[in-house]
Amino acid sequence: MKDFTDQEIILGCIKEDSRFQRLFFDKYYSKMFAICIRFAKNEDEAKDILQEGFIKAFEGVKKFKGESSLSTWLSRIMVNHAISYLKAKNKNSFLSISENEFLVPDLPDFDNELVKELSPDEALSLLQKLPDGYRTVVNLYAIEGLSHKQISENLGISEGTSKSQLSKGRAILKKLVNSLNTYVL
Amino acid sequence: MFYNKDDEFFKLLGDKISQVTPKQPTNGDWDSFDKAYRAHKQGNKKRKMSFLIWISILTVSLFSVYAIYLNKITNEQLSIVKPKDTKEIIKDEVSIAPFTNLEKPNLTTSEIANNKTRLLSNNKEDGNAVAKQIIQKSKIENKNRNEVNVANQNTLIETKGRIELIKNWSDLILLTSKSYLLNLSQPQLISIENRNALRTKIYTIDIDSAKNKTLKTKGKLMVNLAYVELGYLLQSNVYKQLNNSSNQYFNGIGVNAGFNMSKNWSLNFGLSALFFNQIEMNKRAFVTTEKHIESIDTTIKYNAFYKRLMMQIDTVTSEKNVEHHANNSYQNNIAFYNLPIQLRYQLGNEKRGIYGAIGITGTVIYQQETNVNNIGLFNETIQTNNNYQLLFAPTMGVGGYQKLYHNWALHISANYLKYLNGSLHQPNTLQIQTGLKYNF
């Protein structure tokens, strides 16, 4: 099959041509799934987020002005939708865990080398074990590279809460890494 | 992928996660997505339809609630503003207090003007200083008011609008109407009608809404949204066609409703019925001779509406006769039921004059019920004929009322009537009306 440029694919999607929609879907599926799986608790949830994210993308493709690459634009849609999805899923409890809950002290003597010993799937699995709120903040801060200010704006929380969530998320992850290595050993 | 460089732990973890083998899409993934996408689009259409339906329902509900709310406010205001006895108003206002803030917004322009006149006359007689003060206040209040009702901004009760019941408002119309058969080469005069009508609107319900005026003028402007009126009509027609003439007396009753869609456009519709009844009784006596037959006809006519009994005796001589004696009674009931839908564009105002254009879907149900009772020497026959006709005569016209002295107004209009059916009328008629109207 002929290789179409992003521009041609977009034009086809604007015309709601299902062949181009399929091309668009296939081309960005893997990359977008990688984003969704980090935010999701499991693969099924990731697929839900991905599916709804693509629907949003197809509906909003007319608004794509080419100011960024198609991949960046689509990633932003996926991340935003993942946040909305998790917020809607948790409703009142999203990022409103009481201070004492999941109170895990940070491990100052944690050895980062233990992370290197993890397989990629194990690393993902550990991230998915975090509660939705922590996982979202960790994703946005540590992987998407957002500042606490940006996170607070995105999630509608204070910067302090963002820092606190990240700190707790990190502590839980370190503990999980430790326990995993202990178990392995 | 971005990393927070300050946090080695997250950097390492992020690196590991990014190495997860990317999942490739399968046909099943696409099919599942495609199905969901189509369902979503279908749902969107349904949602849009549902949204429109709900908006419609909401609009109707809000309108109803608003109308009820207006009614409530109006009742409150009316109880304050509109005492039954106008003499009491003068007495109270002059001797006790000027207008209060509560009273101001509910006075219509004409009421304020009337009050002012009364107060002026009282002031002359009594030399009451309070009255002067009131007049001065009224002047200031009236400065920015036009002929429509204006509610004052400085009011304790915020005026949203009102529903007003107006009783017994009448006008007299004296019209001369000339109808021409529209012929492309030469218009031909086919009838002249002099119509005198006294219209009494028994009840008129006005639904007004208060709208904010501009910042410059402040205050609130009362805008008439809709009205419903119940009226009674007395009408006498002197109708002259080319070959005959007739006097007709009608009485009628009607309900009319209208919506003012904008400042200039309005839509009216209604139902009115005009009734015309006449009873005739004829007595015929025959005198038979060999060569000729003489008969004496006695006719008694009773017009039920006009309540007038007429007697007429004719002597007829003829060569042949088929009956010796006969009594004949004749009753004719005619009713016109009008169901017009009227779209009107009008300019001007009631103070100076109204001009405009009008389009009417003229739908008339014409009903004629005739009862004939013949009593002869050997037989009696009773005939009842019912004749119904549904006439369609769409009308377009231009015209207007120019305000004259006092309550008189000059009426001029030109209407084009297109009779789509019915043999009683010419198919294309131009009707030019001139006349006078007096508002009581």
Side-chain angles (χ1 to χ4, degrees):
Chain A
M1 187 182 274
K2 180 193 166 187
D3 282 337
F4 290 95
T5 62
D6 279 354
Q7 201 174 357
E8 287 169 324
I9 292 172
I10 285 170
L11 286 172
C13 289
I14 289 171
K15 290 174 187 170
E16 297 193 356
D17 187 328
S18 59
R19 290 170 303 165
F20 286 96
Q21 285 176 336
R22 176 75 194 260
L23 279 175
F24 183 83
F25 183 82
D26 286 349
K27 188 172 181 181
Y28 292 102
Y29 182 93
S30 301
K31 198 170 182 180
M32 296 308 126
F33 187 84
I35 292 172
C36 295
I37 195 73
R38 291 201 307 266
F39 282 92
K41 195 89 181 163
N42 51 48
E43 197 167 306
D44 287 340
E45 198 171 85
K47 280 185 177 175
D48 285 346
I49 296 170
L50 184 82
Q51 207 168 65
E52 290 167 17
F54 266 114
I55 288 172
K56 283 194 171 180
F58 282 153
E59 283 185 337
V61 74
K62 287 175 190 171
K63 295 174 190 169
F64 178 69
K65 292 174 184 172
E67 289 166 354
S68 60
S69 72
L70 189 57
S71 170
T72 309
W73 175 76
L74 191 56
S75 301
R76 207 174 299 136
I77 288 176
M78 289 296 168
V79 170
N80 287 338
H81 180 65
I83 293 168
S84 305
Y85 180 94
L86 293 171
K87 270 186 177 177
K89 179 187 158 194
N90 293 281
K91 289 183 182 170
N92 300 327
S93 64
F94 189 65
L95 293 176
S96 64
I97 302 157
S98 68
E99 289 295 315
N100 293 324
E101 201 175 349
F102 294 103
L103 189 60
V104 182
D106 201 1
L107 304 174
D109 55 345
F110 181 79
D111 184 4
N112 282 333
E113 289 300 311
L114 290 174
V115 181
K116 290 180 185 174
E117 291 174 15
L118 294 173
S119 70
D121 287 337
E122 282 174 334
L124 180 64
S125 168
L126 291 180
L127 182 67
Q128 288 177 330
K129 281 181 181 168
L130 284 178
D132 289 343
Y134 295 158
R135 191 169 65 252
T136 306
V137 175
V138 169
N139 257 311
L140 293 175
Y141 180 84
I143 301 175
E144 300 298 329
L146 269 63
S147 67
H148 285 296
K149 192 181 178 187
Q150 288 170 318
I151 293 169
S152 68
E153 286 167 0
N154 270 295
L155 300 180
I157 56 173
S158 69
E159 282 187 54
T161 306
S162 174
K163 286 174 185 171
S164 155
Q165 299 289 311
L166 183 74
S167 171
K168 287 170 188 169
R170 188 200 292 115
I172 293 170
L173 279 171
K174 283 181 179 175
K175 196 177 177 185
L176 287 171
V177 172
N178 256 344
S179 64
L180 193 66
N181 279 286
T182 308
Y183 174 76
V184 171
L185 288 171
Chain B
M1 193 170 286
F2 302 96
Y3 301 101
N4 190 304
K5 304 294 179 191
D6 298 333
D7 199 321
E8 182 68 17
F9 171 75
F10 283 136
K11 181 185 178 301
L12 292 170
L13 191 70
D15 280 343
K16 282 285 176 192
I17 292 171
S18 65
Q19 289 167 21
V20 174
T21 315
K23 186 181 182 307
Q24 295 302 319
T26 61
N27 284 335
D29 290 330
W30 167 253
D31 290 342
S32 169
F33 167 75
D34 194 43
K35 196 177 170 184
Y37 182 51
R38 305 293 159 208
H40 176 80
K41 280 174 75 177
Q42 196 65 30
N44 269 356
K45 282 181 187 172
K46 283 182 183 173
R47 271 193 293 276
K48 277 179 188 170
M49 280 298 293
S50 173
F51 178 74
L52 285 173
I53 291 165
W54 277 110
I55 283 288
S56 309
I57 292 168
L58 191 67
T59 309
V60 171
S61 307
L62 282 174
F63 186 79
S64 309
V65 171
Y66 189 53
I68 293 163
Y69 180 57
L70 288 184
N71 191 24
K72 192 183 169 189
I73 288 176
T74 308
N75 290 339
E76 286 169 6
Q77 289 172 344
L78 285 176
S79 64
I80 298 164
V81 176
K82 291 195 169 177
K84 287 175 185 172
D85 189 351
T86 49
K87 285 179 182 174
E88 282 178 21
I89 298 174
I90 301 163
K91 193 178 175 183
D92 289 346
E93 284 170 348
V94 174
S95 59
I96 300 170
F99 296 110
T100 66
N101 279 339
L102 282 173
E103 288 168 340
K104 285 178 202 169
N106 304 289
L107 291 178
T108 63
T109 312
S110 58
E111 284 168 337
I112 289 167
N114 287 338
N115 283 342
K116 197 168 75 178
T117 313
R118 291 187 209 113
L119 289 167
L120 269 170
S121 61
N122 277 4
N123 194 33
K124 279 179 186 173
E125 290 168 10
D126 305 337
N128 195 323
V130 181
K132 271 187 180 176
Q133 196 183 351
I134 295 163
I135 294 158
Q136 193 60 36
K137 277 197 166 187
S138 295
K139 279 182 181 175
I140 295 163
E141 291 298 325
N142 282 330
K143 194 175 177 183
N144 295 319
R145 294 179 183 188
N146 51 24
E147 72 287 350
V148 293
N149 301 327
V150 175
N152 193 290
Q153 196 182 30
N154 302 320
T155 173
L156 296 179
I157 299 170
E158 192 187 351
T159 307
K160 299 286 184 190
R162 66 179 170 203
I163 295 175
E164 193 173 359
L165 184 69
I166 303 164
K167 287 183 184 175
N168 298 327
W169 183 88
S170 302
D171 61 14
L172 174 71
I173 296 173
L174 310 170
L175 273 183
T176 297
S177 174
K178 290 186 177 180
S179 296
Y180 296 87
L181 171 63
L182 268 189
N183 192 322
L184 287 175
S185 57
Q186 191 181 357
Q188 184 190 348
L189 182 64
I190 48 175
S191 68
I192 300 170
E193 186 182 0
N194 289 315
R195 187 189 302 165
N196 305 315
L198 180 66
R199 298 188 303 185
T200 301
K201 292 174 184 177
I202 303 165
Y203 291 111
T204 302
I205 300 167
D206 260 347
I207 302 165
D208 298 328
S209 166
K211 285 188 177 176
N212 285 326
K213 293 186 80 179
T214 59
L215 285 173
K216 193 179 174 185
T217 54
K218 297 180 181 175
K220 285 195 168 182
L221 179 74
M222 295 301 256
V223 179
N224 189 234
L225 289 178
Y227 66 89
V228 181
E229 54 188 27
L230 174 68
Y232 185 73
L233 174 79
L234 304 178
Q235 185 173 308
S236 74
N237 286 0
V238 180
Y239 188 74
K240 287 181 184 175
Q241 277 187 318
L242 288 178
N243 299 322
N244 58 56
S245 64
S246 65
N247 295 329
Q248 300 166 335
Y249 302 95
F250 291 96
N251 68 85
I253 194 157
V255 180
N256 193 29
F259 293 106
N260 292 317
M261 296 179 292
S262 70
K263 189 184 169 187
N264 303 114
W265 287 97
S266 61
L267 183 70
N268 303 278
F269 48 86
L271 168 66
S272 62
L274 278 175
F275 302 104
F276 173 77
N277 352 76
Q278 189 164 355
I279 300 170
E280 281 185 24
M281 285 184 286
N282 300 313
K283 280 181 181 287
R284 184 172 286 182
F286 296 97
V287 179
T288 309
T289 64
E290 285 183 0
K291 291 192 176 179
H292 64 272
I293 301 157
E294 287 180 353
S295 71
I296 298 168
D297 286 0
T298 309
T299 305
I300 299 168
K301 288 183 180 177
Y302 175 71
N303 186 304
F305 167 65
Y306 201 54
K307 291 182 179 172
R308 185 170 159 183
L309 200 64
M310 291 175 290
M311 191 170 174
Q312 187 178 326
I313 301 174
D314 299 316
T315 304
V316 180
T317 303
S318 64
E319 293 294 326
K320 290 178 181 178
N321 181 39
V322 289
E323 290 179 25
H324 293 280
H325 298 276
N327 290 331
N328 171 269
S329 69
Y330 174 90
Q331 185 180 348
N332 201 14
N333 300 318
I334 295 172
F336 297 93
Y337 300 98
N338 295 310
L339 298 136
I341 299 171
Q342 189 181 86
L343 186 66
R344 190 165 55 189
Y345 179 83
Q346 75 178 38
L347 298 166
N349 55 56
E350 286 177 12
K351 200 176 179 182
R352 282 172 290 181
I354 296 169
Y355 306 92
I358 204 167
I360 310 169
T361 58
T363 310
V364 179
I365 300 168
Y366 171 84
Q367 182 199 358
Q368 184 180 27
E369 184 189 329
T370 309
N371 298 312
V372 182
N373 190 0
N374 288 312
I375 303 170
L377 274 181
F378 308 105
N379 62 347
E380 179 180 349
T381 56
I382 300 169
Q383 289 177 312
T384 303
N385 295 321
N386 262 311
N387 179 23
Y388 288 96
Q389 278 189 53
L390 184 62
L391 302 172
F392 294 105
T395 305
M396 289 186 295
V398 287
Y401 286 100
Q402 173 62 48
K403 191 83 178 170
L404 299 175
Y405 175 71
H406 196 48
N407 288 340
W408 287 99
L410 176 69
H411 170 89
I412 300 171
S413 69
N415 299 307
Y416 168 64
L417 290 83
K418 173 75 179 173
Y419 284 98
L420 298 177
N421 65 331
S423 57
L424 295 171
H425 304 278
Q426 299 292 346
N428 296 306
T429 306
L430 176 69
Q431 194 179 61
I432 294 172
Q433 293 182 331
T434 52
L436 292 169
K437 187 173 124 172
Y438 182 84
N439 283 335
F440 290 95

